[in-house]
Amino acid sequence: MNKLEKKAIRKLKKEFEKLSQENQDQSVFYIDRQDDKHYVWDFKIENKRFEWIYVYETGIIVKSTK
């Protein structure tokens, strides 16, 4: 795991911990994805699918709900 991946995971985890404990406990994670520009967390809470994308270049987390 390289430095960018570690930083992405740390930032995504910190953001995830802002959710309520109940939502954290109910979450179901799918396989993490990544490429040269992004690290993606894909998870589900109460039948809602979330995709959080950490952009390496800017350090921003983009959140989407499906």
Side-chain angles (χ1 to χ4, degrees):
M1 191 179 306
N2 67 37
K3 281 176 107 175
L4 287 176
E5 288 176 66
K6 287 179 183 179
K7 184 175 183 178
I9 291 170
R10 187 176 67 245
K11 296 275 186 167
L12 287 164
K13 183 179 178 187
K14 188 174 181 179
E15 193 67 24
F16 182 76
E17 289 171 347
K18 292 179 183 178
L19 296 175
S20 72
Q21 187 63 48
E22 182 179 347
N23 281 342
Q24 289 180 41
D25 293 344
Q26 292 175 354
S27 64
V28 176
F29 275 82
Y30 298 94
I31 296 173
D32 295 357
R33 300 184 319 269
Q34 70 181 53
D35 59 27
D36 292 341
K37 298 180 180 186
H38 311 96
Y39 195 93
V40 181
W41 270 9
D42 191 8
F43 58 97
K44 190 175 188 177
I45 300 173
E46 294 181 355
N47 296 322
K48 277 189 175 179
R49 188 101 178 241
F50 296 86
E51 188 175 78
W52 289 4
I53 304 164
Y54 179 83
V55 182
Y56 292 136
E57 190 175 314
T58 61
I60 293 173
I61 297 174
V62 179
K63 299 177 184 179
S64 68
T65 307
K66 299 177 182 180

